[in-house]
Amino acid sequence: MLKRLAYMVLFVCAPLYAAPPIDNDRLQQLANMPLWLALGHYTPAKLGGWRSYVDDSKFFLATDGAHDPTAELRATLDAIYTPVSGDSTAQDQHPQCVYPARSRFLREQLHLTDLPTPECKTFKQWFGDIAPDSTVLIFPAAYLNSPSSMFGHTLLRVDQADVQKDHTELLSYAINFGAYIEGSDNSILYAWKGLMGGYPGLFALVPYQEKLREYRSLENRDLWEYRLNLTHEETGRMVEHVWELKQIRFGYFFFDENCSYRLLELLQVARPGLDLTSLFPLTAIPTDTVRAVKDAGLVEKTNYRPSAERELLSRAEPLSSNEQQWVLKVSADQKQLQNPDYLALPKDRRALIQDAAYRLVRYRVNGEERTSDSSQRSFELLRAISQNPPPALQIERPGLTEDGHESRTWQLGAGSRDDKAFAEYGLRMAYHDLNDNAYGFPLGAQIEILQLKLRQYEGNQWQVQQLDLATIRSLTPRTALLQPWSWQVMGGLERVLSKHDNERLVSHVNGGGGGTWQLSDDLLGFALGTVRVEHNTDFSAAVSPAAGFDSGLLWHNPLGNLSLEAKGDYFTNGEVRRSFSLNQQWELSRNLGLRLTAQREFSQLASPVNEVMLEMKWYHY
């Protein structure tokens, strides 16, 4: 309000400039143009009219600018004619300096030649430092150990004109949108507030080198770089708008109004003819938004940057068990480089061992304070590498996640539970389980959000079979060099065996941790200890805890993915519940799968039950 009042006072006190008279029809026409709507982040309101995604009143010049694009355009036109006064610092607050993209739009559409000319020194310096010429979409792949990144992330890199020729990408800047977190919320609180819109979202422009280090080294995430065919002018307009969004707060919601959705809005500012955001009315999973950008014809080149972890494992892959033990010894003590037994190894094998040892040292100290001991080990290993260099590291590029199946899944199944036939209907909002079509997804990763299954038995008996709020499993193999823990967490409603051979819908939260081992190239074995908390009206207590186990095999075979799993829960009240299951999915096409499920369930409260189901899965956004 104070900002709008100041502009009005200046305009009245020094009427040397005046906005040209524009009739209402022309104003309405301009306000409905895609670029103006994109600059205001407007979207159709549910009950008609418009609303802006911007939650910050200081972004708007009109009192009702958040809901009226025409009023905001009129107020902006008046504001950019505010007379110039004061020194360069004061002139930095002139509306043309604060809103350069809006000002350019009005100047070009209305052919304004009599505008005041503030210096805009700070903006010009900022814009000149960035020197925007081209745009690259960056997609750090999913990282299950961070709630904010379990679906992946997207950001934009802005390159200068000579980046491709000189290979100076590390000097570029990155446009990032994320939740602004004050304090140190734990992962559970972060996930809850992210779902409920408990954090504001802010744009930030940061050196790309910092983001690259964060994703590739600290979080061990592969990066995909998609060079876009935006022109110099389009990239510049987008960067001008980023200036307008400094410290401007948006709503942040984990599934829809997130990093990926906001970046789609920026691309619509860059090229107003694009219509990307309308494709995501419910969720904006990063993988889906990358696919939408590619389908819109924006991508002209794709580059892959493997994570530090993938580089380390790729270097260690050809090493024998004995040689990997030497990697551990050499990385822990550089004096082992002079060990006679080590020097007796063939020169070419030592080259591989030294390089792997150096990568292991750097991997372990990432994110930690630099010490003289680690620095000395790194130096000695680098010196040994320079004297006996290994061959160039060749890493096979994995499949693109966006070329895999789409994120939403419709399910239709038919089966038999003991002597009762049933049909099952399901919907999963997002986005991958252990048996789903595998292309583009790591073996052993599962992220499912909001899954509902309804079952119809003979006699038209309907029931809710399952409602999962979230199921997340990270089955990462342990190796001689790296020893990651596998873990899982899940919660929701499910049917379990109950008294008198019936079934009861119970609410539960379940989690656990353990290990996963690579038994062969396409075969994983895992064993986890679990803890379960359940509300079941068959039990006397309101909440009943249980300890248990979850173990099995996961095999990627020529047909698809097969899993064998054994689970057990031992409740403190004496109930024992166990199950054995087999799941085999046939990958019929990229977005179509056929799954056979067979399981046998045991309970202290009921007789054992057998179930077999054949299920069609259609992946569709």
Side-chain angles (χ1 to χ4, degrees), residues 207-242:
Y208 180 58
Q209 186 173 9
E210 291 182 10
K211 301 304 292 184
L212 188 65
R213 179 176 177 271
E214 174 186 341
Y215 292 128
R216 290 187 63 242
S217 299
L218 299 184
E219 293 189 354
N220 295 305
R221 298 164 70 176
D222 292 341
L223 257 73
W224 297 93
E225 300 174 334
Y226 304 88
R227 179 160 293 280
L228 307 182
N229 57 19
L230 296 183
T231 65
H232 169 83
E233 179 184 0
E234 290 170 334
T235 299
R237 178 165 55 231
M238 180 180 68
V239 172
E240 286 180 341
H241 183 55
V242 171

Side-chain angles (χ1 to χ4, degrees), residues 224 302-304 310 395-400 403 439:
W224 297 93
T302 302
N303 182 49
Y304 169 62
R310 189 181 291 270
I395 297 179
E396 182 180 355
R397 196 170 93 162
L400 291 163
D403 289 343
Y439 185 86

Side-chain angles (χ1 to χ4, degrees), residues 3-4 7 36 39 56-62 72 75-76 79-80 92-107 120 123 240-241 243-246 248:
K3 181 167 67 174
R4 289 193 288 268
Y7 292 153
W36 182 256
L39 289 171
D56 202 325
S57 61
K58 67 176 180 285
F59 179 72
F60 302 101
L61 294 173
E72 186 64 17
T76 304
I80 63 176
D92 280 337
Q93 302 307 310
H94 191 279
Q96 290 186 50
C97 305
V98 177
Y99 301 104
R102 291 197 205 181
S103 302
R104 180 186 295 274
F105 170 81
L106 292 171
R107 187 168 58 247
C120 300
F123 164 70
E240 286 180 341
H241 183 55
W243 172 266
E244 297 177 342
L245 298 174
K246 291 187 311 174
I248 297 298

Side-chain angles (χ1 to χ4, degrees), residues 487-501:
W487 60 276
Q488 64 184 30
V489 61
M490 55 198 71
L493 305 176
E494 68 175 353
R495 289 206 174 267
V496 301
L497 298 177
S498 66
K499 296 176 180 177
H500 312 300
D501 289 336

Side-chain angles (χ1 to χ4, degrees), residues 534-550:
E534 181 177 304
H535 170 66
N536 188 331
T537 55
D538 277 345
F539 300 158
S540 58
V543 176
S544 299
F549 66 92
D550 190 346

Side-chain angles (χ1 to χ4, degrees), residues 22-93:
I22 308 292
D23 63 69
N24 289 333
D25 289 343
R26 177 60 171 151
L27 281 176
Q28 187 70 48
Q29 180 190 29
L30 290 174
N32 287 332
M33 290 184 67
L35 179 53
W36 182 256
L37 295 174
L39 289 171
H41 296 264
Y42 292 106
T43 187
K46 289 182 173 62
L47 300 179
W50 298 95
R51 72 176 182 92
S52 175
Y53 284 119
V54 179
D55 287 345
D56 202 325
S57 61
K58 67 176 180 285
F59 179 72
F60 302 101
L61 294 173
T63 303
D64 54 349
H67 302 279
D68 191 340
T70 305
E72 186 64 17
L73 188 145
R74 175 79 261 183
T76 304
L77 181 59
D78 290 341
I80 63 176
Y81 272 91
T82 300
V84 175
S85 63
D87 57 16
S88 60
T89 301
Q91 291 183 35
D92 280 337
Q93 302 307 310

Side-chain angles (χ1 to χ4, degrees), residues 135-182:
T135 306
V136 179
L137 174 66
I138 308 297
F139 175 47
Y143 177 62
L144 291 181
N145 288 329
S146 170
S148 64
S149 304
M150 67 177 72
F151 288 102
H153 181 59
T154 54
L155 60 153
L156 295 173
R157 192 181 79 213
V158 179
D159 286 350
Q160 299 176 349
D162 56 355
V163 161
Q164 293 191 72
K165 180 183 68 176
D166 297 340
H167 303 289
T168 54
E169 296 91 345
L170 296 183
L171 302 180
S172 297
Y173 286 87
I175 301 171
N176 187 65
F177 179 83
Y180 177 67
I181 305 172
E182 295 180 293

